[in-house]
């Protein structure tokens, strides 16, 4: 089968299309013929080689979420899965392929009215946004700032905060055009990347969902209201500076807090129930899968070039 490998860390030219053996599912696993493959921000971070300390090595196949049809099940897996359309998490890699393997606990059946493309646009982003807001103890009436809102995760956070009764949903983004598009999805204020540019926006926020990370984290901690909560769910700009916590200490009397969030900490049954609910909401048109582009698997490097250029709004999806 065809697959995309990261032959060399760095720019997207290190990604190559190659032939690899088709997988055979082991115990507790299933194989599926992929119809859509999500291109995530973490894929780009891994491809750049900045996560080498986490065990990623050159030669890996990137990609973590796919959707398609189950073609084979391993020992211990119910045959009823055969022929079903599913969304699947493949782990921290293994998704940029024509045929993928996933553990049965990382697979969710798709509603008939939800396309595979929409599924990989929402499958990871929706649950992360949902649980990140819960981790921040978001409640109706809270003001919310989503930092880096133009990707699928940020868009999901905007829609879910708006649906959840936020008093304001501000976003940071790179252009007025993107800000305008985010307003149609529930944002009430559009800010530039530094958090400025809208004089009517709140001066502080009860909740900040940060997808960007990097050197700007302390400045956004300073945007928290008294008892405000920031949750870091991504680090597309790198890790925060080593002394970022000093911002919290200097504002000790404001009782602000900072947390990280990973979907790995959510029990499987809880996570899958929320994912299924979000898929159903999308099938009903209550949530929106915003797709920037659909490209062939062979153009994975072009997808990564677009991500590196910062020109993606929503998610790029690859199709075999």
């Amino acid at each position: 089968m065809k697959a995309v490998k990261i032959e060399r860390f760095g720019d997207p030219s290190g990604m190559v299309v190659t032939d690899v053996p088709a997988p055979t599912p082991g115990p507790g696993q299933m194989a599926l013929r992929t119809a859509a493959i999500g291109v995530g921000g973490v894929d780009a971070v891994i491809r750049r080689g900045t996560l080498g300390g986490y065990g990623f090595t050159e030669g890996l196949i990137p990609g973590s979420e796919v959707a398609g049809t189950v073609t084979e099940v391993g020992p211990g897996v119910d045959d009823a899965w055969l022929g079903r359309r599913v969304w699947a998490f493949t782990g921290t890699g293994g998704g940029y392929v024509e045929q993928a393997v996933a553990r049965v606990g990382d697979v969710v059946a798709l509603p008939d009215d939800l396309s595979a493309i929409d599924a990989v646009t929402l499958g990871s982003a929706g649950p992360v946004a949902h649980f990140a807001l819960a981790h921040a103890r978001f409640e109706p009436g809270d003001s919310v700032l989503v930092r880096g809102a133009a990707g699928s995760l940020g868009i999901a956070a905007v829609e879910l905060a708006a649906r959840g009764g936020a008093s304001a949903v501000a976003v940071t983004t790179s252009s007025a055009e993107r800000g305008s598009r985010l307003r149609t999805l529930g944002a009430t204020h559009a800010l530039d990347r530094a958090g400025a540019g809208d004089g009517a926006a709140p001066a502080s926020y009860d909740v900040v969902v940060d997808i960007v990370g990097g050197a700007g984290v302390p400045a956004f901690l300073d945007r928290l209201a008294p008892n405000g909560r920031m949750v870091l769910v991504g680090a597309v700009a790198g890790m925060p500076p080593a002394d970022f916590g000093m911002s919290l200490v200097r504002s000790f009397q404001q009782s602000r807090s900072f947390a990280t969030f990973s979907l790995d900490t959510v029990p499987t049954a809880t996570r899958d129930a929320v994912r299924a609910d979000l898929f159903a909401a999308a099938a009903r048109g209550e949530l929106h899968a915003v797709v920037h582009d659909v490209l062939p698997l062979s153009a994975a490097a072009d997808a990564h070039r677009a991500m590196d250029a910062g020109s993606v709004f929503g998610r790029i999806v690859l199709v075999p």
Side-chain angles (χ1 to χ4, degrees):
M1 68 173 183
K2 297 295 183 185
V4 175
K5 286 187 176 181
I6 301 174
E7 200 168 65
R8 183 185 67 257
F9 285 140
D11 66 69
S13 66
M15 302 173 70
V16 298
V17 181
T18 186
D19 289 309
V20 300
T24 299
Q29 295 181 327
M30 63 182 74
L32 60 148
R33 183 175 61 254
T34 57
I37 301 156
V39 179
V42 69
D43 302 347
V45 174
I46 291 170
R47 183 259 304 156
R48 293 175 194 131
T50 55
L51 296 179
Y54 291 84
F56 297 104
T57 58
E58 292 178 337
L60 67 85
I61 297 171
S64 63
E65 64 178 312
V66 301
T69 303
V70 178
T71 57
E72 187 178 357
V73 297
V77 179
D78 191 341
D79 286 347
W81 282 105
L82 289 169
R84 297 187 71 179
R85 296 175 61 250
V86 299
W87 173 95
F89 175 70
T90 61
T92 54
Y96 289 16
V97 293
E98 291 180 318
Q99 299 178 60
V101 166
R103 297 183 307 131
V104 67
D106 292 325
V107 173
V108 174
L110 294 180
D112 292 340
D113 294 336
L114 188 71
S115 72
I117 288 172
D118 287 353
V120 297
T121 302
L122 291 170
S124 288
V128 172
H130 171 93
F131 288 109
L133 288 166
H135 201 59
R137 305 189 308 280
F138 166 72
E139 296 181 352
D142 281 347
S143 56
V144 177
L145 171 63
V146 180
R147 182 179 178 225
S152 55
L153 172 52
I155 290 168
V158 167
E159 286 208 294
L160 291 175
R163 289 180 70 209
S167 60
V169 182
V171 295
T172 70
T173 188
S174 60
S175 70
E177 186 271 337
R178 289 185 172 200
S180 178
R181 293 183 69 180
L182 286 162
R183 285 179 182 273
T184 68
L185 295 164
T188 56
H189 303 280
L191 311 174
D192 61 24
R193 285 176 171 171
D198 184 341
S204 60
Y205 298 88
D206 300 305
V207 171
V208 175
V209 177
D210 189 350
I211 303 161
V212 180
V217 168
F220 284 89
L221 283 170
D222 289 340
R223 300 293 294 274
L224 288 173
N227 297 304
R229 295 85 65 194
M230 175 188 278
V231 175
L232 183 70
V233 295
V236 295
M239 295 300 176
D243 63 348
F244 79 93
M246 290 306 299
S247 178
L248 292 174
V249 175
R250 285 193 294 268
S251 62
F252 193 93
Q253 292 177 306
Q254 299 294 309
S255 300
R256 296 163 168 166
S257 61
F258 172 88
T260 58
F261 174 73
S262 168
L263 205 57
D264 291 342
T265 60
V266 179
T268 299
T270 305
R271 180 191 65 208
D272 288 349
V274 166
R275 181 174 283 122
D277 286 346
L278 295 174
F279 281 158
R284 294 191 300 266
E286 297 168 8
L287 288 177
H288 299 88
V290 179
V291 179
H292 178 84
D293 202 357
V294 178
L295 299 173
L297 178 62
S298 59
D302 291 333
H304 278 241
R305 290 185 184 96
M307 294 183 68
D308 285 358
S311 61
V312 177
F313 186 86
R315 170 149 291 193
I316 296 179
V317 176
L318 303 176
V319 293

